[in-house]
Amino acid sequence: MKKIVHIAVCAAGITALLGIPLVLTGGLTKLTGGTDAVSSASVIIEKPSGSYTVMINRERHKSEKELAAWQRFFSGGDSEVIFDDIECVTLDGDAGAFTMAQSFMSRLPENQMKLASGDPVLTLSKADLGRFDVMIVSEEASGAYGVSSVYDGKNVDVIRITDQGD
């Protein structure tokens, strides 16, 4: 009888030590069929009309293969599996660029692209120093804030997107 009680107490202790954190952190949901980490988003956001500039900082992408894959992705080329995560920055008040970034993000697996929007002067100052991964700017914001200093940089690849809509 002592052995059965001992086994029951040990089993309850182990269940509590492992089960409670698993339930509280949502790990149980993931184990029982939660969201797949590599599945694409279920709702694709359409690209807005207008002209946009996508700038990719080559220094943040050491692998030429990954850099080429991101260039194809942002150019509207064939979608392939990219094993690199990125952070995309837009300027505050540049609604078109933010929507364009959301459109790109909707075509990627969940959590592969982080989207941030920042104060234009501060964001461009950081970008001039190479402190960005990917930046999307509309033609209007580019003219208003003088973004050419960023895309004229030696380690920046520039992709122009022009879509007049339907």
Side-chain angles (χ1 to χ4, degrees):
M1 185 66 169
K2 283 185 171 182
K3 288 182 180 181
I4 294 173
V5 171
H6 179 72
I7 291 172
V9 169
C10 288
I14 291 172
T15 302
L17 281 173
L18 297 176
I20 292 173
L22 199 61
V23 169
L24 292 178
T25 60
L28 186 62
T29 306
K30 292 176 185 173
L31 286 175
T32 59
T35 305
D36 182 9
V38 294
S39 63
S40 296
S42 58
V43 177
I44 302 295
I45 299 172
E46 292 300 317
K47 292 180 181 179
S49 61
S51 297
Y52 300 91
T53 303
V54 177
M55 294 164 275
I56 303 173
N57 186 351
R58 284 193 303 266
E59 288 183 350
R60 298 279 177 109
H61 303 277
K62 299 298 181 187
S63 166
E64 288 296 323
K65 183 179 178 183
E66 296 293 331
L67 178 61
W70 283 118
Q71 290 168 339
R72 277 191 305 278
F73 173 76
F74 286 113
S75 298
D78 60 339
S79 185
E80 61 185 67
V81 177
I82 305 173
F83 295 105
D84 193 20
D85 292 344
I86 60 168
E87 180 178 358
C88 182
V89 180
T90 62
L91 305 177
D92 280 346
D94 193 356
F98 191 78
T99 304
M100 180 63 80
Q102 287 177 321
S103 174
F104 283 126
M105 189 168 65
S106 72
R107 289 167 169 76
L108 291 169
E110 186 175 345
N111 299 324
Q112 186 171 9
M113 179 174 157
K114 291 181 183 178
L115 180 56
S117 184
D119 175 76
V121 175
L122 181 61
T123 301
L124 291 174
S125 176
K126 288 180 179 180
D128 283 337
L129 298 173
R131 295 178 54 197
F132 74 100
D133 194 358
V134 173
M135 180 182 286
I136 300 176
V137 182
S138 69
E139 183 178 331
E140 295 83 15
S142 180
Y145 294 111
V147 178
S148 62
S149 64
V150 177
Y151 58 76
D152 287 341
K154 63 180 179 178
N155 291 317
V156 178
D157 286 341
V158 177
I159 300 168
R160 308 263 187 213
I161 302 169
T162 303
D163 183 20
Q164 301 305 321
D166 294 332

